[in-house]
Structure formats: structure tokens, C-alpha cells
Amino acid sequence: MAKCVMVLYPDPLDGYPPKYARESIPVIECYPDGSSLPSPSVIDFRPGELLGCVSGALGLRKFFADGGHELVVTADKEGPHSEFEHHLSDADIVISQPFWPAYLTKDRFARAPKLKLALTAGIGSDHVDLDEARARGVTVAEETYSNSISVAEHTVMQILALVRNFVPAHRWAATGGWNIADCVARAYDIEGMDVGVIAAGRIGRAVLERLRPFGVRLHYFDVHRLPAEVESDLGVTYHPDVESLAASVDVASIHSPLIAQTHHMFNDKLLKSMRRGSYIVNTARAQETDQKAIVAALESGHLAGYAGDVWYPQPPSPDHPWRTMPNNAMTPHVSGTSLSAQARYAAGTREILEDWFAGRPIRSEYLIVEGGRFAGTGAVSYQQ
């Protein structure tokens, strides 16, 4: 018997289950690159249900019960007296999502001597100390591609929301106003702008593909350059480093993993090198930007806007400066947890668990750390 501690975000304020807007979600046959969707033996949920909250439990309560395993599901994850900490000492498996991460620090690893599997429901395992996981032989896995397109769609939405000044315009309409001049005084067309993507992996490339019809000039930087035919098809300009890209664009969209080289990548110096009136959208990780430098650049007017859905820590404190900084279009960390995405990453989580319990190999594309080393996707995304 194994013990799993699952850390998920709290239920809706109005109770669970919510009243759904649609009866179902669209069915896709495969991911854009042709790779297959998650393939567990069976699922115990209806696609389109809210699975990422505590009551949803990723649709896995029956799976754990049928296997005779212990499952603890909680949203209480912070501090030494949290429920997560209480159950960590005898946990074999920890599951959490990037949107409500259970931070597995070196200290927490030390308090989890039985831990064998750290599983991210979704994409992004930087809330896990990967060096410590390697040292302790803990397997780290995530559902690569499960919510990539979800994040790409959210990114494009936020780019348009910033450039078109959507949030203030909506606020005027919602509060009884009709202040057209105030709405359009900061509104522009994206057509003709230079838009750059940092990291053209699954999400970044999907953003480029979705922006191409808008009549923008596309740019990108990645440590792994795209094939020449892909660059030609997208009409995208390659930059050899972040500095070159940042100085050449009106909009910068961040999609790189959080590693030593990207920590506080957008600092005061880099921000000052950008064109006055630039925009930044960050749906990668908050610590790839310098929090204070972002606020200062918005307050001075050097940046025209900042949006994204990644914060540090998560959830942020009520007085976090990004909640009130000027010209922001921030959202909670929701881009990758649409109901469509949840159906995929919940199924992927079950697939990983089925393979792990059966002693079968976990899909290479799902692996971040295995056997004391970076493996699969981790060897490409996290190995420095």
C-alpha cells in the first residue's frame, strides 16, 4: 500500500460541483505535433468536470481506493503546521499542480524519507528541488503538452488585452461609464508590431503560430534553434540571445523554464534596453522577472503594460505589489487549468500512476528526473 498526498486548489466559493457553462468539451485526437494524448486504462470522471480542486481530486479517488492505497487531498500547503507538512513524513507520492504548487524544497525532502514519486499534474516542475530529487533518487514527472495550447491561448488573449487596453475599457462599461476617450487613450493595434517569444518550445511555438495571422513581425530566442523551414514558414526572425530580442520588440512573451540562467532574466538593465512603451506577458514563471524592476518600469511609464498569470509565491499575499501596479492585466495562475486542460492532465496523471504502480516505464516525454538523473523532457528543459 502506498500513501499519496495530493495538494490541489480550494473548491469554488459557491460549492462543488459548479454549474457548468457547457455540457462537454471539444474532443481532440492528438497533440499538434502528432503525439498521442494520455492513455490510462480507464478514467473515472466526465471530461469537462472541475478536477483540479480538492473535491475534484483529479478524478482519482476511486483509483486509489480500488488499489488499497491511502489518499490525502488538501489545499493546506503552507507552513510547518499545514496538512501537507503533517502527512509528508510518510508520503510515498506527492501530487500537485503548478497553479497551487506544493513546494518540495530541500528541507521538505529531508522530512519526507519515504518519498518516491513527485508528480506535477500539468506542465512545470520547478516547484520541486530537482537537484535534491536527483540526489535522493526520487522520480519527478509531469504531463508534457497536456496544457500547452491552453497556455498559448491565454498568452495571446493577454497580449491583445494589454495592447487594446481591454481591462480599463471593460471596467468603465461594468461600472456604468461610457468614457471612450479614457478607454482608447492607451489602446493600439497589434498589427505592424514586433512581437518576440522567449523559448519556442511547445507553448512558445504555438503562440507564434497563433499570432502570425495578425500581421505582426515575429521574433524568437531559444537555445535550440528551430529548423530553417519552420522559421521560413512562420516568417520569424531568430535572435542569438535574450538581450537582442528584448531590444527589438514591442511585445515580449516569456515561455522559458525557470533555471539559473533565466532567474530574474528581466531585470532593471534588460527592461531599460527595451523600447519605451513595450509590453511583457509572462505565463512561464514569475521569478524570471525581477518583481521590483517590473513595478518600477510600469510606474515610470517605460513599460506600457505587464500581464501574465504566474506569481511568486503562489498564491501571492493580498498586498503583493503586482495586484495594484499600473497597467497590469494579471490573472491568478489559470492559463493551464481550463476544464479542457484538466481532462488531459488528470488522465495523464492516472497514466503515470498506473505505470508506476505496475513497474512499467513512464513515458519518456513525461519524465523530468529518474534514477538520479535528468531524463526525458527534463534532460532537454532543465539540464543546464
Side-chain angles (χ1 to χ4, degrees):
M1 186 183 93
K3 179 175 180 177
C4 174
V5 181
M6 186 183 295
V7 179
L8 304 178
Y9 46 75
D11 287 359
L13 294 177
D14 292 336
Y16 185 92
K19 184 176 181 180
Y20 296 105
R22 296 173 55 91
E23 300 304 318
S24 62
I25 59 173
V27 175
I28 61 173
E29 301 299 326
C30 62
Y31 291 127
D33 67 350
S35 59
S36 60
L37 298 171
S39 54
S41 61
V42 68
I43 58 173
D44 298 314
F45 60 84
R46 179 179 62 82
E49 291 179 334
L50 177 56
L51 304 168
C53 63
V54 170
S55 290
L58 299 178
L60 289 170
R61 292 188 190 276
K62 186 176 185 298
F63 171 81
F64 280 101
D66 288 351
H69 306 295
E70 181 182 358
L71 175 64
V72 176
V73 187
T74 182
D76 182 19
K77 66 188 182 75
E78 301 299 338
H81 304 295
S82 65
E83 187 144 359
F84 176 49
E85 285 277 359
H86 176 72
H87 290 283
L88 194 54
S89 62
D90 59 348
D92 300 283
I93 305 166
V94 168
I95 301 174
S96 73
Q97 301 167 109
F99 332 106
W100 194 263
Y103 292 102
L104 280 170
T105 61
K106 183 175 183 178
D107 288 344
R108 278 181 162 166
F109 267 111
R111 295 194 291 276
K114 296 180 63 180
L115 186 62
K116 303 177 186 69
L117 175 65
L119 208 165
T120 301
I123 301 171
S125 295
D126 51 87
H127 58 282
V128 179
D129 186 324
L130 298 178
D131 290 335
E132 195 66 17
R134 286 188 296 159
R136 293 177 177 271
V138 174
T139 298
V140 181
E142 62 182 56
E143 288 82 46
T144 302
Y145 227 149
S146 61
N147 53 358
S148 297
I149 302 306
S150 310
V151 176
E153 289 183 2
H154 193 94
T155 298
V156 173
M157 175 188 72
Q158 289 193 307
I159 291 173
L160 291 169
L162 282 180
V163 175
R164 296 307 298 261
N165 204 37
F166 172 81
V167 174
H170 171 70
R171 190 177 297 125
W172 279 117
T175 56
W178 198 253
N179 298 44
I180 293 176
D182 293 284
C183 296
V184 303
R186 296 183 63 86
Y188 299 88
D189 293 344
I190 194 173
E191 183 181 23
M193 285 190 172
D194 291 285
V195 181
V197 162
I198 296 167
R202 293 178 176 89
I203 298 172
R205 181 167 167 178
V207 170
L208 292 171
E209 291 169 347
R210 281 152 180 77
L211 287 173
R212 180 174 49 177
F214 282 86
V216 297
R217 291 183 292 273
L218 293 172
H219 305 252
Y220 85 101
F221 160 73
D222 198 308
V223 293
H224 305 286
R225 187 166 180 173
L226 294 170
E229 60 271 21
V230 175
E231 289 186 357
S232 176
D233 181 57
L234 290 172
V236 63
T237 299
Y238 173 73
H239 291 262
D241 49 52
V242 173
E243 290 77 11
S244 171
L245 181 139
S248 304
V249 299
D250 302 291
V251 181
S253 187
I254 305 171
H255 302 285
S256 43
L258 178 61
I259 56 177
Q261 292 92 326
T262 61
H263 184 267
H264 283 189
M265 173 172 56
F266 275 81
N267 53 26
D268 185 63
K269 180 180 179 181
L270 187 63
L271 292 172
K272 287 179 177 176
S273 75
M274 299 180 73
R275 299 170 180 172
R276 180 186 176 276
S278 298
Y279 305 88
I280 295 175
V281 173
N282 182 6
T283 52
R285 289 296 179 262
Q287 288 180 290
E288 297 189 45
T289 65
D290 182 316
Q291 175 182 300
K292 292 181 179 179
I294 293 293
V295 175
L298 288 169
E299 290 178 341
S300 72
H302 190 71
L303 274 185
Y306 183 91
D309 72 332
V310 286
W311 307 67
Y312 185 80
Q314 292 190 155
S317 63
D319 62 348
H320 193 292
W322 282 9
R323 293 184 185 269
T324 55
M325 61 187 178
N327 305 311
N328 86 80
M330 295 296 295
T331 60
H333 196 167
V334 296
S335 65
T337 188
S338 65
L339 296 180
S340 302
Q342 288 178 43
R344 294 188 291 272
Y345 68 67
T349 298
R350 175 157 181 159
E351 179 188 339
I352 291 170
L353 289 168
E354 287 181 353
D355 288 340
W356 190 77
F357 278 119
R360 297 188 296 261
I362 296 170
R363 278 202 222 188
S364 175
E365 59 263 40
Y366 290 166
L367 286 172
I368 303 300
V369 171
E370 186 181 51
R373 61 183 179 84
F374 286 110
T377 294
V380 176
S381 297
Y382 291 96
Q383 189 161 296
Q384 300 174 25

